[in-house]
C-alpha cells in the first residue's frame, strides 16, 4: 500500500516531465528551441520535437505567406505633384534564426514595424524619381517591382523574404483635389474653345468659298446676258437697217408714226413747236394726209413684199 502511494506521484511527475519535454510543430509553423535566450536548435519540419524541460523553451513562428498593409503615405513625384499612396506587401519568415536575432522577443509585431519603415522609404525613393503621370499609368507595375527589389535586401537582414509589393490606391491629397478639378475644368474649356474656334474658322472659310462661287456665277451669268443682249441688239439693228434699205420712205413714215404715238399721248404734257417743223410733215395738209395714206399703203405693200426676203436672210444668219 505504501509503495503504491509513492508510485502514483512518481508516475505523475514522470508523465509531466515527459509531456513538458515534447512539443509539436504544425506544418504552418517553424520553431526555435531556446536555452536561456540562446538558440539551440531550429525545428522547421512538421512533427514531434523534444526539449529539456524547465531549461529550454520553444518559440514558434508562422511559416505562411503574410500580408502587411501600409498606412497611406504622401509622396512627391518629380513633377512636384503630391500624391497619397496606399500599398501592401506580401512576405514570409525565411530565416527564423536571423529573424530572432534581428527582432528579439518582439516577434512579428516588431518585424512588421521595421518592414513598414523599409517599404515607406523605398516607396518614397522610387516614386519620387518619376513623374505623377508614370505613377498613374500602366508603368506602375515596373515601379512596384523596383520597390520590391529594393526592399528585398533590407528585409533579408530581418530574416524576411519580401514576395510582392502592390500599390492599392494612388490619390491626390484632399487639399489639392479642388485645385486639380479646376485645372482639369480649365483644360477642358480651353479644348472646347479651340474646337469652337476651329469650327468658326472652317465655317468662315466655307462661307467665303460660297460667296466667291456666287459672285463668279453671277458675274458669268451677267456676262452671258450682256453677250446675248448685245447679239440681240445687233440683230435688231440689222433688221432695221435691212427694212430701211428696202423702203426708206416707209421707214421714215414708220418712225414718224412712232414719234406721233409717243408725243400725242394723253396727260398734262405740253409741247411748244413751230408749225413748219419737220415733225408735222405728215399732218400739215389734206394732200399731206392723202399722201400719207398713199405712202402708207405703198410702203406697206413694199414691206409685205420684202418681208419674206428679210425673214429668209434672218433665218440664214
Amino acid at each position: 500500500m505504501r509503495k503504491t502511494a509513492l508510485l502514483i506521484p512518481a508516475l505523475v511527475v514522470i508523465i509531466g516531465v515527459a509531456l513538458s519535454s515534447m512539443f509539436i510543430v504544425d506544418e504552418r509553423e517553424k520553431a526555435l528551441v531556446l536555452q536561456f535566450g540562446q538558440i539551440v536548435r531550429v525545428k522547421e519540419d512538421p512533427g514531434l520535437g523534444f526539449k529539456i524541460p524547465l531549461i529550454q523553451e520553444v518559440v514558434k513562428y508562422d511559416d505562411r505567406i503574410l500580408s502587411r498593409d501600409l498606412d497611406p503615405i504622401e509622396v512627391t513625384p518629380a513633377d512636384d505633384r503630391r500624391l497619397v499612396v496606399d500599398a501592401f506587401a506580401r512576405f514570409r519568415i525565411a530565416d527564423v534564426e536571423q529573424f530572432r536575432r534581428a527582432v528579439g522577443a518582439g516577434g512579428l509585431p516588431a518585424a512588421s514595424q521595421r518592414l513598414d519603415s523599409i517599404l515607406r522609404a523605398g516607396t518614397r525613393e522610387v516614386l519620387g524619381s518619376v513623374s505623377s503621370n508614370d505613377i498613374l499609368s500602366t508603368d506602375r507595375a515596373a515601379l512596384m517591382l523596383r520597390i520590391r527589389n529594393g526592399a528585398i535586401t533590407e528585409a533579408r537582414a530581418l530574416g524576411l523574404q519580401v514576395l510582392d509589393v502592390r500599390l492599392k490606391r494612388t490619390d491626390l491629397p484632399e487639399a489639392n483635389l479642388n485645385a486639380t478639378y479646376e485645372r482639369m475644368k480649365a483644360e477642358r474649356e480651353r479644348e472646347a474653345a479651340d474646337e469652337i474656334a476651329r469650327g468658326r474658322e472652317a465655317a468662315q472659310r466655307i462661307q467665303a468659298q460660297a460667296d466667291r462661287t456666287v459672285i463668279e456665277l453671277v458675274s458669268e451669268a451677267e456676262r452671258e446676258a450682256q453677250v446675248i443682249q448685245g447679239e440681240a441688239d445687233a440683230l435688231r439693228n440689222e433688221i432695221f437697217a435691212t427694212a430701211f434699205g428696202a423702203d426708206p420712205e416707209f421707214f421714215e413714215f414708220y418712225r414718224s408714226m412712232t414719234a406721233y404715238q409717243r408725243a400725242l399721248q394723253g396727260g398734262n404734257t405740253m409741247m411748244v413747236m413751230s408749225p413748219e417743223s419737220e415733225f408735222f410733215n405728215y399732218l400739215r395738209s389734206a394732200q399731206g394726209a392723202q399722201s400719207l395714206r398713199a405712202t402708207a399703203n405703198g410702203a406697206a405693200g413694199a414691206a409685205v413684199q420684202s418681208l419674206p426676203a428679210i425673214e429668209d436672210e434672218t433665218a440664214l444668219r
Side-chain angles (χ1 to χ4, degrees):
M1 185 70 181
R2 187 176 180 182
K3 290 181 178 180
T4 304
L6 293 176
L7 183 59
I8 292 175
L11 290 175
V12 172
V13 171
I14 292 172
I15 293 172
V17 171
L19 292 176
S20 63
S21 65
M22 294 185 298
F23 62 93
I24 298 174
V25 178
D26 190 86
E27 63 271 9
R28 297 168 295 180
E29 297 175 332
K30 292 181 180 181
L32 288 178
V33 179
L34 304 178
Q35 182 174 331
F36 304 115
Q38 300 297 320
I39 300 174
V40 177
R41 189 171 67 257
V42 179
K43 176 65 174 174
E44 295 185 352
D45 298 328
L48 185 64
F50 298 93
K51 65 182 179 65
I52 300 174
L54 303 177
I55 297 177
Q56 296 179 345
E57 63 175 335
V58 177
V59 179
K60 297 178 181 179
Y61 297 103
D62 200 331
D63 193 33
R64 295 174 296 181
I65 295 176
L66 305 175
S67 178
R68 182 65 181 174
D69 287 329
L70 297 178
D71 294 333
I73 58 175
E74 187 173 301
V75 298
T76 304
D79 55 0
D80 294 330
R81 185 180 180 183
R82 294 187 302 167
L83 296 173
V84 176
V85 178
D86 191 3
F88 74 94
R90 303 278 186 185
F91 69 98
R92 62 187 296 269
I93 301 174
D95 189 343
V96 290
E97 290 187 60
Q98 182 65 27
F99 182 79
R100 179 69 185 190
R101 294 190 185 97
V103 300
L108 190 59
S112 297
Q113 292 180 359
R114 295 179 62 177
L115 181 62
D116 287 352
S117 300
I118 294 172
L119 293 175
R120 281 196 294 267
T123 301
R124 286 195 175 98
E125 180 182 358
V126 172
L127 300 186
S129 63
V130 298
S131 66
S132 58
N133 291 332
D134 294 332
I135 299 174
L136 299 174
S137 68
T138 55
D139 295 338
R140 62 188 302 169
L143 299 177
M144 291 185 289
L145 185 61
R146 287 175 55 188
I147 296 173
R148 190 204 70 173
N149 294 339
I152 285 177
T153 304
E154 297 186 39
R156 190 177 294 121
L158 300 176
L160 302 176
Q161 179 185 4
V162 178
L163 302 175
D164 194 15
V165 176
R166 294 287 173 179
L167 301 178
K168 295 192 299 182
R169 185 170 57 91
T170 304
D171 293 330
L172 293 171
E174 215 40 60
N176 294 350
L177 285 178
N178 292 334
T180 302
Y181 291 152
E182 291 298 327
R183 183 169 64 253
M184 293 173 62
K185 179 180 177 181
E187 290 176 357
R188 299 292 86 77
E189 289 178 350
R190 179 183 58 79
E191 292 178 0
D194 291 342
E195 290 295 332
I196 292 173
R198 284 193 289 269
R200 289 177 177 173
E201 180 182 358
Q204 292 177 356
R205 185 167 57 252
I206 295 172
Q207 183 65 40
Q209 183 66 29
D211 293 342
R212 178 181 176 182
T213 303
V214 169
I215 293 174
E216 291 177 352
L217 292 176
V218 171
S219 299
E220 182 66 20
E222 290 179 351
R223 185 185 67 81
E224 293 180 359
Q226 291 176 359
V227 170
I228 295 173
Q229 182 67 36
E231 292 177 352
D233 292 341
L235 181 60
R236 183 195 63 181
N237 295 333
E238 186 177 357
I239 292 172
F240 274 120
T242 303
F244 180 78
D247 194 340
E249 186 177 357
F250 174 74
F251 186 78
E252 183 179 356
F253 167 74
Y254 174 76
R255 295 295 298 272
S256 297
M257 293 299 104
T258 303
Y260 293 157
Q261 181 182 7
R262 295 178 180 177
L264 300 178
Q265 291 178 351
N268 297 327
T269 303
M270 180 180 296
M271 294 189 303
V272 178
M273 304 179 66
S274 172
E276 303 300 328
S277 174
E278 294 180 358
F279 184 73
F280 298 108
N281 284 340
Y282 291 94
L283 299 177
R284 186 173 296 119
S285 63
Q287 293 82 3
Q290 292 177 0
S291 176
L292 175 62
R293 285 192 296 269
T295 303
N297 292 331
V304 169
Q305 292 177 0
S306 62
L307 183 58
I310 297 173
E311 291 178 350
D312 294 337
E313 184 178 359
T314 303
L316 291 175
R317 295 183 180 181

